[in-house]
Amino acid sequence: MRENIVIRGAREHNLQNLDVNIPREELVVLTGISGSGKSSLAFDTIYAEGQRRFLESLSAYARQFLGMMERPEVDFIDGLSPVISIDQKTTNRNPRSTVGTVTEIYDFLRLLYARVGVPYSWKSGNKMEKQTADQVVATILDMPEGTKAYCLAPVVRGRKGHYRELFEQTMKQGFVQVRVDGEFMDLEEDMKVDRYKKHDIEVVVDRFVINEKSEKRIAESVRLALEMAEGNVVLAVPEEDDGEVKFTDHLYSQNLFDPESGLAYEDPAPNMFSFNSPYGACQHCDGLGYTYDVNRDLVIPNKEQTIEQGAIRYLGEPRDIFAFKQIQAVLDSVGLDFETPIKAFTDEQLELLFEGGGDTKYDVSYDFRDDNVTYKHSFKGLRNMILEKYEESNSNKQRDKAKAFMSKIDCPECGGGRLNKEALSYRIDGYTIDELVQMDIDTLRSTINTLNLTERQQKIGSQVLKEVRDRVDFLLNVGLNYLTLDREAQTLSGGEAQRIRLATQIGTQLVGVLYILDEPSIGLHQRDNIKLINSLETLRDLGNSVIVVEHDRETIESADYVIDMGPGAGEYGGEIVTEGRPEDLDPDSMTAKFLKDEEVVPYPDERREGNGKSVRLEGARGHNLKELDIDIPLGKFICVTGVSGSGKSSLINQTLEPILSSEFYNSKSVPLPFDEVHGIDNLDKIISVDQSPIGRTPRSNPGTYTKVFDHIRKLFAELPESKIRGYDQGRFSFNVKGGRCEACNGDGVRKIEMNFLPDVYVDCETCNGKRYNRETLEIYYKGKNISDVLNMSVNEAHEFFDSVPAINRILGTLVDVGLGYLRLGQPSTTLSGGEAQRIKLARELAKVGTGDTLYILDEPTTGLHFQDVRMLVDVVQQLVDKGNTVIVIEHNLDLIKAADWIIDLGPEGGVGGGEIIAKGTPEEVAQMEESDTGQFLKEEFEREGRQAVTAS
């Protein structure tokens, strides 16, 4: 087998006709400045070619369903194995996808409960026992005398098929009626149902009236039904409701029955424990575990206000509508009026306002023609008023308005367990399945190890338990001990999602595969880094090739081979600066200089004192936070640190940020529970930069995302020639009709569809790739038209528009964060992760700061090389120098060292976290032995100290 993956002439994106040999069956790290072409080489060249070759191996028939992959711009690739990519962009956004389903642990738990779970009645709590046929008959005869009933044999339960043979067989046996999916039908020749839908089919065995005379007949019918349906019989009792006959089904079973409550369960199947199946999902929330209900704090956010001042935000200030007449009548009845502040209402009065007065009638007076009329009306309450609008309104606008005052609550039926009562009543050693999935991985591992099983349970479940243990261990090995299995996949960070997929891949034990990973260390604390590196080495030692795009110092130093891309970014990158073992890298390359501490990210000798003011948050207790009281000093650069899962995002992104957003922007986001917050008046706005991706369409570009293109279009519309022709801003947009080229709809390229080959994109022959029509391109500013401006680099545009402050300010921030090389019109889809992160940062930094602004940045070093981090630290320090406060959630030690103040959470992730372990300057935290972050900081300071001594 070849020793290398041989690549010749790679030209994808910004790669400069690259030739490279990548050793196989080794851990190879691709590093280099953000935008230098690492992902273009790893994902857009190697992975894309591997995928394309796999698809080409399929038949033409199969390929037409899969769509063709484009051939990457490369002359030749040899030595490729089957490729598996684990990147950050493939997190499932479906709320039904959880950590348990992604890792398949939940599938094994379902199987375990279906085979060895012990059922209990959800009504009485008694253990369910199997019944004999005589007991079933006796139970039926205990029903009220004179009850009419259909005796049904449930022969098919939730299975697909046309069942023609079953219907034929049933007719031959002399039966004349069946019930299919709740509907009674007469049996006919060649009868069949839709084979692609799931069906419930019951044979009508008999119809009888329950009394002593028919005891023998009932016994025979019931025994026959039990025999036909493997020990189950359904008694359908008809009831009239508004002239309509409805059936109430009573299930009796030789399988599982509780005599006290009369409950019967069918034998469990794995789909009974699935929240994605109608047989297991809670009917109330459809298996999501939550529903939406009216949130009182959103309806009345400010308890200091009166109704007259508009305290009920859903209705606004009082006006002449029926709702306010009703509220006035209700308040009159309890001695209140519109001038009473909400905080003066008692709990009972607030309950009356929200839940209504039931059947009580109130004197509601309103003007009718020229008269004042008083009627007696009941009042259903604000909650029902909003819920009715949400559930019954045909207007999307009204529904959206109502939804804005609702928030997620645990489903009242299943309590967030997602399953129906029957599934939640099965236990193994006292644990229900939802109790297991709510445990963090650490607790789950120890619980599964100590389960007290009977000999029979042990024999049946041992293999399943082994699979569960193995998969849980893989999650522990990649530092995810704090996650729970019921955590929604869409709430995971990019790094967490990658590490879960990495754990799943290690579990498959494949050999001879090429794995490509994209910064798996994101969101991982240094303490757990070694676990991740060990996992990557395990993959390699199995006989796989592993290529990792990474900037983390430890990962680079642990690699077998390093390829350093550069020297610049964008058009100035795409070449290999140096490659080899970590210790053999060219000492003149920037990566080698940072690894040897010849280049460093600077940090100040003295830490800022701040402005003496602070924001105090008390009693934060959402997720795993332990009633935290925290002071956030203002006018400083603050870093919130701690091991993964210690509660950093819960505290900052999900408690503090929504509180402040609600205060400054009337945001509808609901913070996690807390008691009080003080000192908000020391700030005047909040700007948050999270990790969500920027536009995923080619029409989105740095110009449109940062809004600088709006100002450029406005400038072009203000030009004398534009005014003479009557052109407005829309004329210079490539997204709307008017000024754009209609042949390509403003894309600049046309798609040529090729059967059995990938689509080919060519420049539009009408506008030659310029996106606009001829008339629009005749408007010039300083000798450049709008298309020329889109093709400028940010650096060029910064100089070109130096006399236009609004444009210059935004472009200046893009230059400051190191993105001067990007073209204004470059599609967002071609940007690297680090570039996208910094464009978001630039967009927020370009907003005019007041000196009392709080910036919240969530892991801004994602995708950034040491050089980029240095640039980022400079930008942040400039912001704080202007008097602003910056809070950064971060694991990167170079950035943490540069902070003025550290708040360290821990000591562990998940249940073991949520406490403040240390706070102070980096030097103070480095002396605290109980802080893991402090210990790594101490090592970092010592290493730099040694380096400084050596250098002098």
Side-chain angles (χ1 to χ4, degrees), residues 210-466:
I210 294 173
N211 54 37
E212 281 183 25
K213 289 180 188 169
S214 33
E215 183 177 339
K216 189 177 176 201
R217 175 179 172 179
I218 291 172
E220 283 174 4
S221 301
V222 168
R223 284 174 202 280
L224 179 55
L226 288 170
E227 199 178 302
M228 289 172 70
E230 296 174 356
N232 297 310
V233 60
V234 172
L235 222 63
V237 179
E239 292 169 3
E240 266 201 40
D241 184 23
D242 291 341
E244 211 179 313
V245 178
K246 291 187 176 175
F247 285 88
T248 306
D249 285 359
H250 301 271
L251 172 71
Y252 298 95
S253 176
Q254 283 178 296
N255 303 326
L256 298 162
F257 189 72
D258 170 33
E260 186 182 323
S261 58
L263 266 186
Y265 293 171
E266 291 183 26
D267 273 351
N271 69 353
M272 180 176 158
F273 300 95
S274 166
F275 45 79
N276 293 326
S277 155
Y279 296 95
C282 163
Q283 298 297 311
H284 188 73
C285 63
D286 284 336
L288 289 174
Y290 59 80
T291 56
Y292 283 92
D293 205 345
V294 174
N295 183 322
R296 294 187 180 188
D297 291 336
L298 291 177
V299 180
I300 304 181
N302 186 351
K303 305 274 191 296
E304 306 286 328
Q305 286 183 318
T306 64
I307 294 178
E308 190 62 49
Q309 292 168 326
I312 303 174
R313 201 193 296 175
Y314 176 69
L315 295 172
E317 292 183 6
R319 54 197 187 281
D320 192 18
I321 59 171
F322 186 58
F324 278 112
K325 305 271 192 228
Q326 280 183 298
I327 292 171
Q328 194 165 10
V330 171
L331 295 184
D332 285 345
S333 73
V334 289
L336 299 170
D337 59 26
F338 283 2
E339 299 295 338
T340 314
I342 299 294
K343 66 178 182 183
F345 283 43
T346 64
D347 289 346
E348 289 79 16
Q349 289 163 345
L350 269 177
E351 189 71 13
L352 176 63
L353 184 63
F354 274 96
E355 301 299 329
D359 296 332
T360 311
K361 301 267 201 259
Y362 300 94
D363 294 330
V364 180
S365 59
Y366 44 91
D367 297 326
F368 181 68
R369 294 185 180 149
D370 298 333
D371 215 356
N372 186 278
V373 188
T374 302
Y375 281 110
K376 287 210 174 283
H377 275 285
S378 58
F379 175 60
K380 59 191 175 192
L382 289 172
R383 177 172 170 266
N384 287 322
M385 210 181 277
I386 295 170
L387 283 176
E388 270 179 27
K389 269 281 183 289
Y390 177 66
E391 288 164 3
E392 295 170 18
S393 175
N394 294 325
S395 154
N396 283 340
K397 195 174 175 186
Q398 289 290 343
R399 280 175 60 86
D400 289 345
K401 180 187 172 186
K403 191 174 179 183
F405 295 93
M406 298 165 74
S407 55
K408 280 183 189 176
I409 58 160
D410 276 354
C411 168
E413 283 285 311
C414 62
R418 292 175 167 236
L419 300 171
N420 58 35
K421 289 175 181 170
E422 193 173 312
L424 292 176
S425 59
Y426 279 75
R427 294 178 180 273
I428 295 178
D429 192 20
Y431 295 103
T432 63
I433 193 166
D434 76 308
E435 286 169 353
L436 289 186
V437 297
Q438 286 169 16
M439 294 175 181
D440 61 53
I441 301 293
D442 260 340
T443 316
L444 180 66
R445 179 73 170 95
S446 54
T447 304
I448 283 174
N449 279 348
T450 54
L451 281 178
N452 186 13
L453 302 177
T454 62
E455 191 179 330
R456 177 179 171 278
Q457 284 178 319
Q458 188 67 48
K459 200 169 182 180
I460 298 170
S462 59
Q463 192 59 42
V464 183
L465 281 169
K466 177 184 175 296

Side-chain angles (χ1 to χ4, degrees), residues 11-36:
R11 297 178 298 281
E12 193 67 31
H13 296 326
N14 64 337
L15 298 179
Q16 314 282 338
N17 213 15
L18 201 65
D19 295 348
V20 61
N21 292 349
I22 301 175
R24 290 171 51 85
E25 295 186 18
E26 293 200 357
L27 174 55
V28 178
V29 169
L30 286 180
T31 187
I33 191 166
S34 171
S36 59

Side-chain angles (χ1 to χ4, degrees), residues 553-680:
R553 178 190 291 265
E554 258 187 290
T555 313
I556 296 172
E557 288 172 348
S558 308
D560 301 319
Y561 197 82
V562 177
I563 297 174
D564 185 18
M565 309 273 302
E571 294 160 15
Y572 310 106
E575 297 175 21
I576 291 177
V577 178
T578 177
E579 57 182 312
R581 307 271 159 205
E583 60 276 10
D584 300 337
L585 296 177
D586 180 352
D588 292 335
S589 82
M590 285 305 273
T591 302
K593 285 182 178 177
F594 273 100
L595 289 176
K596 292 176 181 170
D597 292 313
E598 292 168 18
E599 291 277 348
V600 292
V601 176
Y603 58 92
D605 297 329
E606 290 188 6
R607 310 293 176 177
R608 294 181 187 83
E609 289 299 318
N611 59 19
K613 299 174 184 173
S614 68
V615 170
R616 180 170 174 78
L617 178 63
E618 295 179 359
R621 55 185 179 279
H623 293 160
N624 62 341
L625 299 176
K626 312 269 197 307
E627 295 285 344
L628 289 192
D629 296 343
I630 182 169
D631 285 297
I632 295 165
L634 301 181
K636 288 188 178 186
F637 172 13
I638 302 165
C639 236
V640 179
T641 61
V643 297
S644 307
S646 57
K648 303 181 294 296
S649 294
S650 299
L651 177 64
I652 303 299
N653 291 341
Q654 293 170 287
T655 308
L656 182 66
E657 197 263 334
I659 293 169
L660 298 178
S661 295
S662 175
E663 176 70 25
F664 296 129
Y665 310 125
N666 289 337
S667 152
K668 301 288 190 302
S669 52
V670 182
L672 294 175
F674 69 100
D675 291 335
E676 290 180 24
V677 63
H678 306 286
I680 293 185

